[in-house]
Structure formats: C-alpha cells, structure tokens
Amino acid sequence: MASSVEVGGSWSTHEDVVLCQSWVNVSHDPITGNEMKFHHMWSKIHGEFCQRSGFIRTEMVLSSRWKLLNKELGKWRNALTKARDNIRSGQNLSDEIIQAQMWFGATGQGKKNFVHFQCWEVVKDCPKFRIIPTGPPVVMNETPLHDSPSTDSPLDSPMETESPFVPRPPRPIGRKAAKAKRGGTSTTECVQLLEQIAKNTSLRMERDLKRDEMDVAQEEAFVIQQQKAQEKDMDDREMKIMAMDTSHMSPKTKAYWKLRRRDVMRRKLFHDDGPSNTDWLNDENH
C-alpha cells in the first residue's frame, strides 16, 4: 500500500470516487452492511478510504463530504428519472442527458450542472440511487381498427340501402393520441422553458453553493477545534501529573508518579506516544 498523505481543503475527483466506492463496499456488505451502527460504519469507511486513496482525512470530514455528494447524486437520479419519463421516440442518450441537466439546474438547489459522473457510475446500481420510472404506462389503442356492423349483414340496415353515402361518425382517438393532443409540447418548447427557469434561479443556486461551501468550512473548523481541545485537555492532565506533591506518599506510590512524569517528559521531548512506563503495574495485577 502506498504511504498515506494527510490532506485538507478541496477534494479531487479521485477522492470523491474512492469515497463513493468505500461507502458502497461498507454499507452494502451482504453480511454486516444492514447491522452496523452509524459510527462503526463510518469508522470502516474511513479505513477503506485511507487504504484505497493513500490520503488521510478525518471521519467527520468524510461524512460531511458524503453528505454533499449524496445530495447531488440524489438530485441527479431525480433529474434522470424525469428526463426518461419525458423522452420522446427517436431521441437518444445525448438528448436524455441534456434534459436531465436542465431538470437538475432548474431545481434551484446546489450546483447548476451535475459534474460527478464518475461517482454516479459507482452508486447508480445501489437501491438508494436506482432509477424507477414514474411516468404512466404506455397503453395500446383500444379502439378497433374497423367498426363492426350492428347487424349480421349490411343489407339488413335500411340506412345502408337507402343512403350508402351518408358519412359515419368519426372514430374516437386512442388514449396515447388524446394525451399527446391534450398536453403535448415540443421538445424545443420544453428546453426553452427549462432554460428560462435555470436562468431565473441562477443567483439562488450560486448562493446555495456558497452556503454549502461555508458549511464544509465550518465543519472542518469544528474538527480542528475539537483536536485542539483534546490537546489542551492532555496538557492540563500532564501539568497536574508534573505538579503532583508526592512527599506524603508511600514509596510505591511515589515510584508510580515518578514513572508517570517520565511518560510526560518522553512525550514532550521525543513526541513518543508509545507504551507507558507504568504498564508493569497492569502486569502485576494478572
């Protein structure tokens, strides 16, 4: 495995893809995926991410990044669903992607265009992101191709005998034709409408994007603040150890606190967080 490098700040496409792969592998594990607690799941995702990517980020940072990716990928799934429901005969995948991008940008939440296509390829088969068509089923025209005569023979009908050129009433149109006539709009009109919606909401999307970036920055700052608080707490405990008055203690207790002070000095001077010098006390109790 390549040596790990601690990173911060902006995310690369490679890191996003590795994060998605790690989430899929851990959360969809057939043996433990459905039984893991949230903290345990993210602990395993963190380990797999660091191993796969060669970079080190904290669990909280990974969870925050997945929150944003999850939102964008969910919006893209909904946009693709709408595009597939609206796709017309003769249109191809390119037309579907264009319509999906229009729907994605028209939501007014987050980025204007979807860019995480490599991440989508990783998660698209997961039940959470699987596209399920929501449009009405296609129904064949139930109207007969030819009108059936009301009698066994046209000669039995006086209307046919007396006036063979009287026009028959028009045949009712089928369901599919009625739907197209009632609400049909051309693809060009749909695209123009979606472009107008996207244009009107661009300022709001930019504001939401800045807000998301601020949320990530605040969460990363919170992680740094927690780490500093832990370091301060450790310093306070070490100061108490170094200031401990052992003049009234028994020889064995004095020896214990002497070793504790050696541990503090070793960490301060050599940045050594190895086994404590007081481990021998635990051995005597067994």
Side-chain angles (χ1 to χ4, degrees), residues 237-273:
R237 290 200 302 268
E238 291 177 345
M239 288 293 293
K240 290 180 180 179
I241 293 172
M242 297 300 294
M244 178 69 65
D245 181 13
T246 61
S247 60
H248 61 284
M249 299 180 181
S250 64
K252 190 172 183 179
T253 306
K254 288 182 178 180
Y256 168 79
W257 285 108
K258 184 177 181 180
L259 291 174
R260 290 292 301 273
R261 288 170 178 168
R262 287 183 181 177
D263 284 341
V264 174
M265 295 298 295
R266 184 181 61 187
R267 285 193 293 269
K268 292 295 184 182
L269 295 176
F270 306 106
H271 302 286
D272 182 6
D273 294 327

Side-chain angles (χ1 to χ4, degrees), residues 45-276:
I45 291 175
H46 176 256
E48 183 162 336
F49 173 85
C50 294
Q51 182 180 9
R52 282 173 169 262
S53 66
F55 298 111
I56 297 178
R57 291 185 185 267
T58 64
E59 289 183 26
M60 184 170 293
V61 172
L62 292 183
S63 177
S64 299
R65 182 61 179 178
W66 172 249
K67 180 180 178 181
L68 294 178
L69 287 175
N70 180 49
K71 180 180 178 181
E72 295 293 297
L73 292 168
K75 283 176 52 184
W76 182 244
R77 174 206 58 204
N78 296 339
L80 276 177
T81 301
K82 291 180 180 295
R84 291 187 181 180
D85 289 342
N86 195 51
I87 205 71
R88 294 173 179 269
S89 176
Q91 292 180 320
N92 54 28
L93 180 61
S94 176
D95 298 319
E96 178 182 302
I97 297 299
I98 292 174
Q99 284 202 32
Q101 287 284 22
M102 292 297 179
W103 284 109
F104 184 88
T107 57
Q109 300 175 357
K111 297 181 179 179
K112 184 175 182 179
N113 293 318
F114 180 74
V115 296
H116 303 290
F117 291 103
Q118 295 184 43
C119 294
W120 174 251
E121 291 299 319
V122 174
V123 305
K124 67 180 181 179
D125 293 325
C126 298
K128 181 177 182 178
F129 296 104
R130 192 172 297 151
I131 297 176
I132 301 176
T134 59
V138 177
V139 179
M140 298 299 291
N141 192 340
E142 297 180 354
T143 305
L145 294 178
H146 301 281
D147 290 331
S148 300
S150 58
T151 59
D152 294 337
S153 172
L155 297 178
D156 297 333
S157 171
M159 181 70 68
E160 292 291 342
T161 303
E162 297 173 4
S163 180
F165 299 103
V166 174
R168 298 182 181 182
R171 185 176 59 142
I173 62 175
R175 294 184 183 179
K176 188 174 181 180
K179 178 182 176 182
K181 182 178 179 180
R182 180 174 61 252
T185 56
S186 66
T187 303
T188 302
E189 293 174 345
C190 290
V191 172
Q192 290 175 348
L193 175 62
L194 292 173
E195 287 178 345
Q196 185 63 35
I197 294 174
K199 182 178 179 180
N200 293 339
T201 58
S202 59
L203 292 177
R204 182 175 59 183
M205 289 187 292
E206 291 177 2
R207 183 179 67 248
D208 292 341
L209 178 59
K210 291 181 180 179
R211 182 186 60 193
D212 292 339
E213 292 175 348
M214 290 180 59
D215 290 342
V216 173
Q218 290 176 355
E219 290 178 355
E220 291 181 349
F222 177 72
V223 172
I224 295 174
Q225 184 179 2
Q226 278 191 325
Q227 292 174 347
K228 290 182 178 179
Q230 292 174 356
E231 292 174 358
K232 184 179 183 303
D233 184 58
M234 175 66 75
D235 290 340
D236 292 342
R237 290 200 302 268
E238 291 177 345
M239 288 293 293
K240 290 180 180 179
I241 293 172
M242 297 300 294
M244 178 69 65
D245 181 13
T246 61
S247 60
H248 61 284
M249 299 180 181
S250 64
K252 190 172 183 179
T253 306
K254 288 182 178 180
Y256 168 79
W257 285 108
K258 184 177 181 180
L259 291 174
R260 290 292 301 273
R261 288 170 178 168
R262 287 183 181 177
D263 284 341
V264 174
M265 295 298 295
R266 184 181 61 187
R267 285 193 293 269
K268 292 295 184 182
L269 295 176
F270 306 106
H271 302 286
D272 182 6
D273 294 327
S276 171

